[in-house]
Amino acid sequence: MRTTPRKTSGRVAAILAGAAAAALVLTGCSSGSGAATGGGGDGEVSGSITLQTWALTPTYTDYLNGVVKAFEKKYPDAEVELVDQPGDGYAEKVLSQASSNSLPDVVNLPPDIALPLAKRGFLQDVAKDDSTLGKTYVEGALAAYRYKGVDGTFGYPWYLNTDIDYWNKTMFEECGLDPENPPATTDELFDQAATMHEQCPDDYLMSRKPGLSDFSLAGVKILNADGTKFTFADSSKAADLISKYAKAYQDGLMPSSVLNTDYLGNSTLFTQGKVAWTTGGATAISDFEKNNPSLKGNIIVSPALDNPPLYVQGLSVSAKSKHLATAEALAAFMTNAENQEEFAHLVNIFPSTKSSQSDPFFSEDDGTVQAKARVLANDALKTAKNLNPVEANSAMTDFLDQQIALAMKGGTTPEKALQTAQTKMNTLLANG
């Protein structure tokens, strides 16, 4: 099974990167010019449809078959064929299906892969036929399937994940910080990083440079209203944030390797005991302790800084389905609270249904750090949101990353770095 958003946010970034590039396949391929019109949710639930999942078999074949069987029992005139696609090349596969008019009736799509399909009329606006969406699913998950420049909601949120913060207790205690009061905001992170460096010059709290998600948290407007142009360089807040990171880097508050091409990432450095902070999913602590047993009993957890990120998987419906009502009914059925909770008890994910947040499995703390991490993540889903715009592909974010690194090294000003990146990214966006 793929790990978006099951285990780590790193895999999320990889999937976002590949999908946006593959979206070029659809340019000029569709006869559609926007969201599909006309609803089918009030029709008869009957006929044969295809459900396509993403790298879930054979591990979760029994679960999927069980849900399909229960659906067919509820709707005796409906029949569902389950097809599972491999993890690699999935975005390209889906976009090829759409361009050849062979998109399955119900298809497992994260928001970034769904975006080009929605814009070109391949996906049904499920909000037209289901007035209960807002009552059923957490707002951030629904918002992930609403796009700038096109009206509608183009997916039923299926399962979610988010990040929380992990801190090294021993490093806090040895370096003048209170492990009971770790940073709650980015500003506090900088303050405590300075304290740690003053007390322990060879230790670090911070070990990352900023990106688009940090601009979002700082209140920077990243895109214009219709999603056709990046606008982050127009805000002084973005330049101020880079300046703050640049000063922290130059003052020695983070490892010099942060700006190198061989940078290992804050999660690896945290596991190695070289930095005192990282982010990760609710079950990341198990991997930390497995890879470095000395961390067992030495990790404290807290909510993500400022506002938690959201990682989403969903089920979208083909606007060209011959049995639209059946397809929408299946997507709604698979993502109802009962079925999502059953799945989330099997996998390290969280349901997107509001009612599931009171499930004791996710909401009760048994006193262990592992349970506290799960409860924190569950609570975070109430306000979590997608901090990285799906319009930004890997080529864009890689170029922005390079410019930010250059500014942090002092090779250019933050303002120039941002403007250079924005110009390049807008060219890529227009061409894509």
Side-chain angles (χ1 to χ4, degrees):
M1 179 186 177
R2 68 194 177 288
T3 55
T4 311
R6 185 167 65 93
K7 287 186 178 180
T8 67
S9 57
R11 175 61 173 154
V12 174
I15 290 172
L16 292 177
L24 294 173
V25 174
L26 284 182
T27 304
C29 293
S30 169
S31 60
S33 60
T37 57
D42 57 349
E44 182 180 354
V45 180
S46 62
S48 298
I49 62 172
T50 299
L51 163 67
Q52 179 169 287
T53 55
W54 182 8
L56 294 180
T57 66
T59 306
Y60 302 103
T61 299
D62 289 345
Y63 168 79
L64 293 170
N65 285 339
V67 175
V68 167
K69 184 177 180 180
F71 177 78
E72 292 176 335
K73 182 178 180 180
K74 182 176 181 178
Y75 301 103
D77 294 328
E79 184 177 350
V80 179
E81 177 187 5
L82 172 63
V83 176
D84 189 70
Q85 297 289 348
D88 292 340
Y90 185 70
E92 292 83 353
K93 174 67 175 179
V94 169
L95 298 169
S96 176
Q97 289 172 326
S99 64
S100 62
N101 291 317
S102 59
L103 193 69
D105 302 271
V106 180
V107 56
N108 178 187
L109 297 176
D112 62 304
I113 301 180
L115 170 61
L117 301 178
K119 284 192 170 182
R120 291 166 176 82
F122 287 104
L123 299 183
Q124 177 70 4
D125 171 12
V126 295
K128 288 183 177 180
D129 304 317
D130 191 339
S131 61
T132 69
L133 293 178
K135 298 178 181 179
T136 304
Y137 305 97
V138 298
E139 176 55 30
L142 283 174
Y145 288 94
R146 298 173 184 142
Y147 304 110
K148 293 178 181 293
V150 57
D151 293 329
T153 303
F154 297 96
Y156 279 85
W158 190 5
Y159 56 91
L160 314 175
N161 216 330
T162 186
D163 284 340
I164 60 173
D165 285 337
Y166 293 89
W167 313 92
N168 186 305
K169 182 179 179 181
T170 297
M171 293 179 70
F172 264 60
E173 292 174 339
E174 291 178 349
C175 300
L177 299 177
D178 181 2
E180 298 301 319
N181 292 286
T185 66
T186 299
D187 287 341
E188 291 178 9
L189 176 68
F190 279 96
D191 290 341
Q192 294 199 30
T195 299
M196 174 168 282
H197 180 65
E198 182 179 329
Q199 297 290 325
C200 302
D202 295 327
D203 290 330
Y204 304 96
L205 185 61
M206 300 172 61
S207 60
R208 57 181 293 275
K209 54 184 178 294
L212 285 178
S213 62
D214 299 281
F215 295 167
S216 294
L217 291 174
V220 175
K221 183 179 179 182
I222 295 178
L223 282 162
N224 63 2
D226 59 3
T228 57
K229 288 186 178 181
F230 289 99
T231 59
F232 54 82
D234 304 337
S235 170
S236 61
K237 292 180 180 179
D240 291 344
L241 184 65
I242 293 180
S243 295
K244 196 167 187 176
Y245 271 90
K247 184 178 186 304
Y249 176 77
Q250 293 163 13
D251 287 347
L253 302 190
M254 60 182 79
S256 60
S257 63
V258 165
L259 302 185
N260 297 344
T261 56
D262 59 353
Y263 170 56
L264 297 175
N266 59 346
S267 178
T268 297
L269 294 178
F270 179 83
T271 302
Q272 295 175 348
K274 296 179 179 179
V275 301
W277 168 61
T278 190
T279 60
T283 60
I285 188 172
S286 298
D287 291 331
F288 297 147
E289 294 178 347
K290 178 182 178 181
N291 294 324
N292 183 356
S294 69
L295 290 174
K296 189 173 181 62
N298 193 33
I299 296 176
I300 53 179
V301 295
S302 68
L305 301 178
D306 301 308
N307 195 90
L310 182 66
Y311 311 119
V312 188
Q313 283 290 338
L315 293 175
S316 296
V317 174
S318 170
K320 301 183 180 182
S321 173
K322 294 180 180 179
H323 302 285
L324 190 55
T326 306
E328 290 183 325
L330 176 62
F333 183 80
M334 290 194 68
T335 59
N336 68 27
E338 180 181 356
N339 286 321
Q340 286 210 53
E341 288 168 18
E342 181 183 353
F343 195 34
H345 287 200
L346 298 172
V347 196
N348 296 323
I349 56 172
F350 292 88
S352 62
T353 41
K354 290 181 178 179
S355 62
S356 300
Q357 293 183 320
S358 60
D359 182 337
F361 182 79
F362 308 107
S363 61
E364 291 188 359
D365 185 347
D366 63 8
T368 65
V369 179
Q370 289 81 358
K372 183 177 181 180
R374 189 168 59 246
V375 171
L376 286 174
N378 183 56
D379 288 342
L381 294 177
K382 297 173 184 177
T383 57
K385 60 183 180 180
N386 185 5
L387 299 175
N388 283 301
V390 294
E391 291 84 355
N393 64 27
S394 62
M396 299 174 190
T397 55
D398 286 348
F399 189 81
L400 174 62
D401 189 68
Q402 293 166 7
Q403 290 300 308
I404 290 175
L406 184 63
M408 288 177 63
K409 289 179 180 177
T412 187
T413 65
E415 291 81 5
K416 185 175 180 181
L418 287 169
Q419 192 59 59
T420 300
Q422 181 170 290
T423 299
K424 176 71 171 181
M425 291 169 68
N426 279 332
T427 299
L428 292 172
L429 185 62
N431 291 339

